[in-house]
Amino acid sequence: MKIAIGSDHNAFDLKEELKQFMINNGFDVEDYGCYSCEAVDYPDVSFRVADDIKSGKADRGVLVCGTGIGVAIAAGKVPGIRAALCHDTYSAERAQLSNNAQIITMGAKIIGPEVAKKVLEAYLNVQFEGGASARKIKQITDQEDIYIQQESRS
């Protein structure tokens, strides 16, 4: 499974730890930045990760910033992308099983590296099962399509 990972400067250290954790566990990881603690705007990184997941260049994504909120909002602006903010293992597992979230987000100022690794592991070790959840995801994507069509007519 190919994982796209990215962060802003507030979460650079956590991103590096999560990246190494995934590599050590056999995942193919692509780093979308940032590459130091020098200030960077998280939307740019979030959009690149989300775009490459949407295009199929990556299977799933991990985005981290100070709170995890900003990267979740930014990634979620890419049509077809579902980004889930998770700071516990149950939410991370459900993000994939119930919501087919392609991206998990976390906040480096909220969660420590060891808990973040457990959250990430919970997310990566499950696959979307469909069932009743598939109906709900279809409702979301159908509504998203309606909004896109309305915008294109404006």
Side-chain angles (χ1 to χ4, degrees), residues 12-145:
F12 171 74
D13 291 334
L14 180 58
K15 179 198 64 141
E16 292 297 306
E17 287 205 41
L18 294 175
K19 179 173 69 174
Q20 194 57 55
F21 174 77
M22 288 186 290
I23 291 168
N24 291 346
N25 283 281
F27 291 95
D28 180 10
V29 181
E30 175 135 0
D31 188 343
Y32 287 69
C34 67
Y35 304 107
S36 72
C37 291
E38 189 173 319
V40 64
D41 294 337
Y42 63 78
D44 296 333
V45 174
S46 300
F47 297 147
R48 286 196 314 269
V49 167
D51 284 339
D52 277 4
I53 289 169
K54 185 176 178 179
S55 72
K57 291 180 185 173
D59 300 303
R60 293 199 204 168
V62 179
L63 289 168
V64 286
C65 66
T67 63
I69 298 168
V71 290
I73 292 170
K77 294 298 178 185
V78 174
I81 294 296
R82 291 172 302 283
L85 171 64
C86 300
H87 290 128
D88 63 86
T89 56
Y90 182 74
S91 297
E93 182 180 88
R94 297 318 306 175
Q96 181 53 219
L97 290 176
S98 297
N99 303 112
N100 198 16
Q102 305 103 319
I103 299 173
I104 189 174
T105 73
M106 293 181 267
K109 294 182 179 184
I110 309 296
I111 192 170
E114 294 310 311
V115 173
K117 290 173 191 173
K118 290 185 185 313
V119 169
L120 180 57
E121 185 175 41
Y123 170 70
L124 293 175
N125 285 335
V126 294
Q127 295 290 329
F128 181 62
E129 296 175 343
S133 294
R135 182 182 70 250
K136 297 167 194 166
I137 298 304
K138 184 172 179 347
Q139 290 170 347
I140 292 168
T141 56
D142 287 350
Q143 187 63 46
E144 185 176 50
D145 290 344

